[in-house]
Amino acid sequence: MAAHCVSKVELSISCSNLLDKDVGSKSDPLCVLLQSVGDDKWSEVERTERVKNCQDPEFSTKLHIDYHFEKVQKLKFGVYDIDNKSVDLKDDDFLGGFECTLGQIVSSRKITRPLQLKAAKPAGKGTITVSEEVKDNRAVVMEVEAKNLDKKDMFGKSDPFLEFFKQEEDGKWQLVHRTEVIKNNLNPSWKKFMVSLHTFCSGDLNKPIKVSKGFYVQSDNNFYLHTVFQLEAQYSFLDYVMGGCQINFTVGIDFTGSNGDPRSPDSLHYLSPNGVNQYLSAIWSVGQVVQDYDTDKLFPAFGFGAQVPPNFQVSHEFPLNFNPNSPYCQGVQGIVDAYRMVLPQIRLYGPTNFSPIINHVTRIASGAAQQPNAAQYFVLLIITDGEITDLDQTRQSIVNSSKLPMSIIIVGVGEADFKAMEFLDGDNGVLKSVTGEPVARDIVQFVPFKQFASAPKEALAQSVLAEVPNQLVSYFKMRNMAPVNPPSPVK
């Protein structure tokens, strides 16, 4: 089951050079935040206070909104001159506004845009600064061992475990952590564990804790408990993205013969009269979300399994723009344009090898992994009809990739059973290479496109991208890397 990354973000709003709509005094501005609910409809989220007689307001009321990485969250900011006590804004003068996505705000941390009036010149500027809602991101890290435990079992040694409790406001004790059980050991040493400070003691280091309070606890039977206690920061996906981590997006497209002749309406590469197919729909759906987190919007796009000009040799890693020195497309639209351009110039062939394109991104991610900071993460989208030929090599490529800052998304188009893709996903067990080496992290997410045939167009991206935030955090946590610009510590 996909784990949705939901955080509250806090937006600070300020404006400059607002229009003056009041006679004899300056405007009394208020800013309202609306979120798109689809079909050109908008729902109000929150609004700021009204600032009297001010053309350069800095609103003290912060606006709060739930953040979802896997969605394109379209926002609209509107500034109004408030001259009455009515909550309805229809009877107030509109001073200007602008639209953007929450992803754009989060990845930039601060954006400034001209405020637009309908069919008019810019009417001042609006600035939005974002921060994750204030939280204590510290965690308790503990290593515990005990000496001289009682022998409780009749035919063997004890099987000890520990439980930690915090005291609630009503004086009752609530369980916050239980260690694993260690079999037959009177001098056990439990695995190091981490619990958020909020869970462990409600963020209050002076709160009484049963069992773990103090470094040595002694009982009547000379039993000693030794505890090593430390605090560590637990960084969230937003901490990394807002701290400067770029998410680099690469696309790999299956041009093998099993897709069918692109000129035939039965082909998965056939472009319908309105110019789309399942491949393009997947690129648009995923790309529109990820592009907000990449500053230059230059995305490498490759094909595999086709005979390519001029010699029509089979290639498993050819750039859609036929420029190996610069395989980049400008934005998602650039990928779509390159796909449409290349389709009539190549011959669909085979076999279906995934490993060359995975290895291509792995090489780039490996270079980024040499840097001592959390500045780069890579997402590879592979779109395929599912007939994979190099399964063993692909398994090894994924195991190698799991040690690097990257995630792999596979979208299966057509009606195949996709058993091999589900195997690579690893949801039914840990994926291992042929030699038995397991993945260091779960980095593959597979979904069949047909599951979303009648779903809203946003549903595909929400499904395949939902695990990326946790995968990104798990990598940098594995490397013990803080964000490039960490959030200010909680006071």
Side-chain angles (χ1 to χ4, degrees):
M1 184 68 185
H4 293 269
C5 174
V6 183
S7 301
K8 278 270 191 197
V9 294
E10 184 176 88
L11 306 178
S12 302
I13 315 293
S14 61
C15 302
S16 60
N17 301 319
L18 291 178
L19 292 177
D20 191 358
K21 290 279 189 173
D22 289 352
V23 178
S25 67
K26 295 182 173 135
S27 295
D28 303 330
L30 167 152
C31 181
V32 63
L33 168 61
L34 306 172
Q35 181 167 213
S36 171
V37 291
D39 298 325
D40 206 28
K41 294 177 182 174
W42 300 82
S43 172
E44 180 175 334
V45 179
E46 281 187 347
R47 59 176 73 180
T48 67
E49 82 282 10
R50 177 181 69 152
V51 178
K52 288 187 177 181
N53 299 323
C54 187
Q55 287 179 283
D56 304 292
E58 184 170 341
F59 299 100
S60 63
T61 301
K62 311 301 183 187
L63 304 180
H64 302 87
I65 186 170
D66 286 341
Y67 164 77
H68 302 256
F69 166 72
E70 68 277 6
K71 293 181 183 178
V72 177
Q73 293 176 268
K74 294 180 181 176
L75 305 180
K76 183 188 290 186
F77 296 86
V79 181
Y80 292 82
D81 178 18
I82 308 298
D83 289 319
N84 55 52
K85 295 184 178 179
S86 167
V87 175
D88 194 341
L89 297 172
K90 291 177 182 174
D91 55 2
D92 297 300
D93 290 324
F94 179 59
L95 299 179
F98 67 85
E99 296 180 20
C100 64
T101 68
L102 187 54
Q104 288 168 340
I105 301 173
V106 163
S107 60
S108 304
R109 292 206 73 160
K110 180 178 182 178
I111 63 173
T112 299
R113 297 277 178 86
L115 298 177
Q116 300 288 340
L117 280 167
K118 292 178 181 176
K121 62 183 180 181
K125 290 183 177 179
T127 298
I128 301 168
T129 306
V130 64
S131 62
E132 192 168 7
E133 192 171 61
V134 177
K135 68 182 194 314
D136 191 336
N137 69 352
R138 293 174 297 172
V140 172
V141 180
M142 297 185 74
E143 293 182 79
V144 187
E145 62 181 30
K147 302 289 186 185
N148 304 322
L149 294 182
D150 281 349
K151 182 179 178 182
K152 297 292 185 184
D153 291 355
M154 188 174 297
F155 299 107
K157 297 176 182 176
S158 295
D159 302 333
F161 64 92
L162 291 178
E163 293 181 329
F164 296 79
F165 298 82
K166 69 178 177 184
Q167 193 166 30
E168 298 287 27
E169 298 299 326
D170 59 4
K172 294 181 180 177
W173 295 93
Q174 180 187 0
L175 179 66
V176 294
H177 182 75
R178 179 184 291 117
T179 67
E180 77 279 11
V181 175
I182 296 183
K183 295 282 189 181
N184 298 321
N185 196 328
L186 300 182
N187 299 288
S189 180
W190 289 274
K191 292 177 183 175
K192 181 192 291 189
F193 65 88
M194 177 184 288
V195 184
S196 77
L197 195 64
H198 176 76
T199 298
F200 192 74
C201 59
S202 303
D204 181 0
L205 291 170
N206 294 316
K207 185 180 283 289
I209 299 290
K210 270 210 285 193
V211 174
S212 65
K213 188 62 178 174
F215 288 89
Y216 290 90
V217 177
Q218 186 172 358
S219 69
D220 293 337
N221 57 342
N222 296 322
F223 136 60
Y224 289 94
L225 184 67
H226 179 209
T227 305
V228 179
F229 175 99
Q230 66 188 86
L231 288 178
E232 286 185 5
Q234 267 190 319
Y235 295 111
S236 69
F237 174 73
L238 270 177
D239 289 334
Y240 285 107
V241 170
M242 290 165 54
C245 184
Q246 293 280 302
I247 299 180
N248 303 278
F249 181 49
T250 303
V251 176
I253 299 174
D254 182 342
F255 286 109
T256 54
S258 51
N259 283 276
D261 187 338
R263 294 166 294 185
S264 166
D266 297 332
S267 171
L268 294 169
H269 281 294
Y270 176 74
L271 292 174
S272 65
N274 60 351
V276 298
N277 58 28
Q278 291 186 13
Y279 279 92
L280 287 180
S281 295
I283 291 169
W284 268 118
S285 180
V286 177
Q288 280 189 306
V289 173
V290 178
Q291 69 177 350
D292 283 344
Y293 301 87
D294 189 315
T295 305
D296 62 17
K297 306 286 188 286
L298 292 173
F299 305 128
F302 298 91
F304 58 92
Q307 295 175 322
V308 298
N311 299 322
F312 290 97
Q313 296 291 313
V314 175
S315 174
H316 301 293
E317 187 190 337
F318 63 90
L320 295 191
N321 63 6
F322 292 136
N323 184 351
N325 295 321
S326 182
Y328 305 100
C329 300
Q330 182 64 56
V332 181
Q333 184 62 53
I335 301 174
V336 171
D337 293 342
Y339 170 83
R340 288 175 173 153
M341 180 202 72
V342 79
L343 201 53
Q345 301 184 58
I346 59 176
R347 299 172 188 163
L348 274 60
Y349 204 70
T352 309
N353 292 348
F354 281 13
S355 59
I357 277 191
I358 296 176
N359 293 342
H360 178 97
V361 178
T362 298
R363 285 193 294 273
I364 301 170
S366 183
Q370 303 306 311
Q371 303 302 314
N373 56 32
Q376 303 280 336
Y377 196 81
F378 298 82
V379 173
L380 170 61
L381 168 65
I382 297 175
I383 314 171
T384 177
D385 71 349
E387 304 283 340
I388 186 170
T389 311
D390 66 337
L391 185 60
D392 288 348
Q393 293 92 327
T394 296
R395 287 164 63 185
Q396 184 63 59
S397 296
I398 291 172
V399 168
N400 296 342
S401 302
S402 70
K403 305 166 193 169
L404 298 170
M406 66 181 283
S407 294
I408 301 170
I409 294 165
I410 304 174
V411 175
V413 297
E415 298 298 322
D417 64 9
F418 297 117
K419 279 190 170 58
M421 301 300 103
E422 290 165 357
F423 172 72
L424 295 176
D425 189 317
D427 277 353
N428 296 321
V430 176
L431 179 70
K432 296 180 180 178
S433 68
V434 178
T435 59
E437 182 185 3
V439 289
R441 305 176 294 125
D442 178 13
I443 64 165
V444 179
Q445 175 72 356
F446 165 74
V447 296
F449 190 93
K450 61 187 175 184
Q451 283 186 1
F452 301 90
S454 57
K457 60 183 179 181
E458 302 86 8
L460 174 68
Q462 290 176 29
S463 178
V464 296
L465 292 173
E467 293 186 10
V468 168
N470 286 339
Q471 291 170 354
L472 180 149
V473 171
S474 74
Y475 172 76
F476 291 123
K477 188 174 179 180
M478 180 177 77
R479 292 286 311 276
N480 199 26
M481 284 184 173
V484 177
N485 298 300
S488 300
V490 176
K491 295 178 181 176

